[in-house]
Amino acid sequence: MEETTGRSTKKKVVVVGGGLVGALNACFFAKRGFDVEVFETREDIRIAKVVKGRSINLALSHRGRQALKHVGMEEKIVSKGIPMHARMIHSLSGKQSPIPYGRKGQFILSVDRANLNKELLTAAEIYPNTRLNFDHKLQDWSAETGLMTFARSDGSNEQIKADLIVGCDGAFSAIRKQFLRRSRFNYSQTYIPHGYMELTMPPINGEFAMKPNYLHIWPRNTFMMIALPNLDKTFTCTLFMPFEEFEKITTGDEVIEFFQKYFPDTIPLIGVDALKTDYFRLPAQAMVSIKCSPYHIGDKCVLMGDAAHAVVPFYGQGMNAGFEDCLVFEEIMDQLNEDFSTVLPEYTRVRVPDDHAIADLAMYNYVEMRAHVNSKWFLFRKRVDNILHFLMPKTITPLYTMVTFTRTRYHEAVDSWHWQNKVVNRGLLLSATGAVLGGSYLLIKNPPDINKLMVPAEKMWDRLVALWTPLRTLI
Ligand code: FAD
Ligand code: EGU
């Protein structure tokens, strides 16, 4: 395969953004022998002391792991991850109920974002054909010439050209700006009304404050909290709620009052004083969903990760999808012999429907959770899923299982889910019809005293509404 190993004969690939997806991509391209350069706005996070930024830990699942495996990084990352075999649902009363993700071997991992990013940068740097440039912020670039301009913190500029530009510069991508200026580029972005805030739950007597091998969830409709374990035995709790509600809380006492009402079991675990100060340390962060297409310009430039598709975090798939982007690109590079002029359009053709599907799913789950997911409903739904899967393992696979534990294309997972819902609904309809017919027969055979059975008309409406709301979501 490597008929020409000399670096000079290999094309130059510039990866813009040294975040999770950029660093992983650098490994993929370096492994193929390209002359790789990464440009990243921030300082080298392996040297810098404080790393501020987005969520502290992330749920890593199958798709992300498969991509890591391809560059020989899976073991290294998994060994520093904390397995989560089940969700732990916290009800308002403080009751905790575990719901397994699947069989024994099916678990997701809580991984530290900063560590993951550092390991990937180091892995990329080991290839002699890779160079990392920090403190380089892409200012502008030309889709015609491929010339990029980077700004440095000392005020200087640097210009560089590449054969291929890989835009991995996140949700507010500077690379994507040039796409937006072109004809027939589709773009949509939606900010959701919710913001998020991270709070730390410290260890108690040197041990995790809650059971560590779980994804802890407090589903409270509009308000939701999620906690993932860290290696230092802390939990990072992420509170999701509408900005409007965040703004209503302006004093420490109001914070405690709010937690008393919705997350009382967490107050002693986070600590009253810590809660009061943590809450005001950073303002709530926004969440945006972004879809676009195509993902490429000619044979020159391609978008991956959040730059191509930012998704709301309600499926735990943003990074996983971004990592899978790299793997899908890699697979197409194999099929089409690294010919950028055919690889790039093919990547767009294959990947857009899947990334759009996961963006839609994550948004759908956000709407769903906000509308009527309290702890009872969450438990009920997941149990129904698991029972159906147990009864008909060949026919029914829960959607989250296909998304989280397989590499079933996202858009196929959605199609399969729709089909399964049809099957289940037909089954329900059939059983219901059977019950009505059977019941009618029995009623006709032995007629009861009507007056004792009648529901007063004024209560009928409430009953219908109560029935319809949960049924609608089942459909
Ligand atoms: P980023 O991580 O944003 O990296 C982009 C990089 O590009 C940054 O380093 C940035 O400094 C750099 N950059 C930006 N502009 C420029 C420029 N002009 N020039 C040079 N460099 C530039 N995903 C999961 O899979 N599982 C989860 O559990 C999960 N939880 C999440 C929870 C929350 C609250 C949020 C907000 C997201 C979550 N995600 C999760 C999604 C995940 O964080 C993202 O999908 C992932 O970080 C995307 O990686 P990226 O490399 O594409 O972008
Ligand atoms: C949100 C924020 C539970 C990390 C979706 C499940 C998430 C994560 C779920 C965050 C939920 C929601 C799934 C995983 C995961 C569940 C999933 C959400 C990790 C449908 C760091 N979500 N997340 N679904 O099934 O498939 O457990 O911040 F509460 S992991 Cl919203 Cl599997």
Side-chain angles (χ1 to χ4, degrees):
M1 215 175 76
E2 296 191 359
E3 65 285 335
T4 50
T5 40
R7 271 172 62 189
S8 53
T9 61
K10 270 292 195 177
K11 291 188 164 164
K12 180 173 181 116
V13 175
V14 161
V15 177
V16 177
L20 300 177
V21 174
L24 178 64
N25 242 337
C27 298
F28 272 103
F29 285 103
K31 189 164 173 246
R32 285 189 168 273
F34 287 100
D35 187 1
V36 181
E37 282 211 61
V38 178
F39 290 90
E40 162 61 46
T41 305
R42 295 170 302 171
E43 286 294 336
D44 189 341
I45 52 166
R46 296 166 299 175
I47 301 164
K49 280 189 294 287
V50 272
V51 222
K52 61 173 173 100
R54 279 186 307 163
S55 63
I56 293 152
N57 48 25
L58 302 145
L60 172 69
S61 50
H62 183 69
R63 294 171 202 265
R65 285 182 62 166
Q66 286 300 111
L68 290 170
K69 187 175 180 174
H70 212 93
V71 294
M73 288 297 286
E74 189 189 17
E75 257 324 294
K76 186 140 207 166
I77 301 305
V78 168
S79 69
K80 283 202 169 178
I82 300 174
M84 299 184 286
H85 298 273
R87 314 104 170 146
M88 186 67 88
I89 311 303
H90 294 243
S91 72
L92 199 52
S93 67
K95 186 165 179 268
Q96 301 187 26
S97 321
I99 301 263
Y101 276 114
R103 287 173 274 102
K104 211 171 173 349
Q106 285 183 319
F107 55 86
I108 55 176
L109 289 148
S110 173
V111 298
D112 181 272
R113 177 193 291 271
N115 176 257
L116 177 56
N117 207 160
K118 289 175 188 173
E119 295 282 10
L120 288 173
L121 287 170
T122 299
E125 214 169 30
I126 287 172
Y127 294 93
N129 44 330
T130 303
R131 227 179 75 192
L132 306 180
N133 306 274
F134 298 97
D135 181 25
H136 278 74
K137 180 179 181 146
L138 181 83
Q139 288 292 101
D140 201 7
W141 69 285
S142 158
E144 282 68 46
T145 61
L147 188 71
M148 292 165 274
T149 308
F150 293 95
R152 310 209 52 192
S153 55
D154 63 8
S156 66
N157 274 345
E158 253 171 58
Q159 294 205 307
I160 191 162
K161 260 192 173 183
D163 296 300
L164 178 68
I165 300 168
V166 188
C168 304
D169 50 348
F172 307 100
S173 170
I175 288 288
R176 203 178 53 221
K177 285 206 180 95
Q178 290 303 318
F179 283 66
L180 280 160
R181 298 185 47 217
R182 299 169 71 87
S183 175
R184 296 176 61 205
F185 180 66
N186 301 295
Y187 181 83
S188 78
Q189 75 173 43
T190 309
Y191 278 92
I192 58 173
H194 275 59
Y196 73 92
M197 177 177 282
E198 292 182 316
L199 305 161
T200 303
M201 186 182 282
I204 296 176
N205 299 326
E207 268 313 313
F208 279 106
M210 303 180 297
K211 287 194 167 172
N213 297 103
Y214 295 86
L215 179 89
H216 290 264
I217 308 175
W218 292 257
R220 305 283 185 268
N221 297 5
T222 344
F223 310 120
M224 186 171 81
M225 198 153 73
I226 285 191
L228 273 70
N230 300 307
L231 272 185
D232 65 0
K233 302 200 173 171
T234 64
F235 276 94
T236 305
C237 306
T238 312
L239 170 64
F240 295 94
M241 69 175 177
F243 275 99
E244 196 184 312
E245 300 289 337
F246 273 115
E247 283 153 15
K248 282 185 194 158
I249 301 171
T250 56
T251 67
D253 289 342
E254 284 165 0
V255 175
I256 303 302
E257 213 177 290
F258 170 80
F259 270 74
Q260 199 61 256
K261 191 161 174 196
Y262 294 102
F263 311 107
D265 58 331
T266 65
I267 300 179
L269 304 183
I270 299 175
V272 171
D273 293 330
L275 197 49
K276 286 182 182 178
T277 50
D278 262 26
Y279 187 93
F280 296 104
R281 217 188 12 238
L282 280 172
Q285 305 290 302
M287 286 169 281
V288 67
S289 180
I290 297 175
K291 288 197 276 184
C292 69
S293 75
Y295 288 164
H296 73 287
I297 297 178
D299 61 353
K300 265 257 132 8
C301 181
V302 62
L303 300 173
M304 295 194 207
D306 279 18
H309 48 79
V311 306
V312 290
F314 300 97
Y315 238 101
Q317 283 293 312
M319 165 193 63
N320 285 289
F323 281 7
E324 196 179 46
D325 287 348
C326 306
L327 187 50
V328 166
F329 192 87
E330 169 80 4
E331 286 160 358
I332 296 171
M333 286 281 272
D334 271 341
Q335 287 162 21
L336 301 176
N337 300 314
E338 302 185 352
D339 174 2
F340 295 152
S341 70
T342 55
V343 167
L344 269 53
E346 179 66 3
Y347 170 74
T348 287
R349 190 186 72 77
V350 170
R351 198 56 183 164
V352 166
D354 291 323
D355 285 334
H356 287 197
I358 191 62
D360 291 344
L361 271 183
M363 186 60 86
Y364 173 85
N365 206 41
Y366 162 67
V367 173
E368 193 71 358
M369 304 265 313
R370 176 182 60 168
H372 39 237
V373 177
N374 53 33
S375 56
K376 276 211 181 95
W377 182 244
F378 192 100
L379 290 167
F380 172 71
R381 276 314 308 271
K382 296 297 171 194
R383 282 177 183 144
V384 168
D385 272 2
N386 286 348
I387 289 166
L388 287 173
H389 182 53
F390 178 79
L391 291 175
M392 306 177 274
K394 290 247 166 66
T395 319
I396 309 282
T397 305
L399 178 59
Y400 82 84
T401 304
M402 293 187 275
V403 167
T404 308
F405 297 117
T406 76
R407 274 202 66 206
T408 307
R409 293 184 59 184
Y410 288 126
H411 89 270
E412 283 172 6
V414 172
D415 289 348
S416 157
W417 177 53
H418 288 152
W419 179 84
Q420 289 179 32
N421 286 343
K422 248 187 212 161
V423 172
V424 170
N425 286 332
R426 297 239 166 106
L428 282 176
L429 202 67
L430 220 65
S431 333
T433 314
V436 167
L437 289 178
S440 309
Y441 174 77
L442 289 175
L443 279 174
I444 291 162
K445 276 271 177 172
N446 356 316
D449 181 353
I450 291 285
N451 293 324
K452 285 186 193 150
L453 280 176
M454 281 284 275
V455 178
E458 67 271 19
K459 283 197 183 152
M460 201 54 177
W461 179 249
D462 289 352
R463 291 203 175 193
L464 281 173
V465 171
L467 244 171
W468 179 243
T469 316
L471 272 181
R472 216 194 57 207
T473 57
L474 216 60
I475 306 160

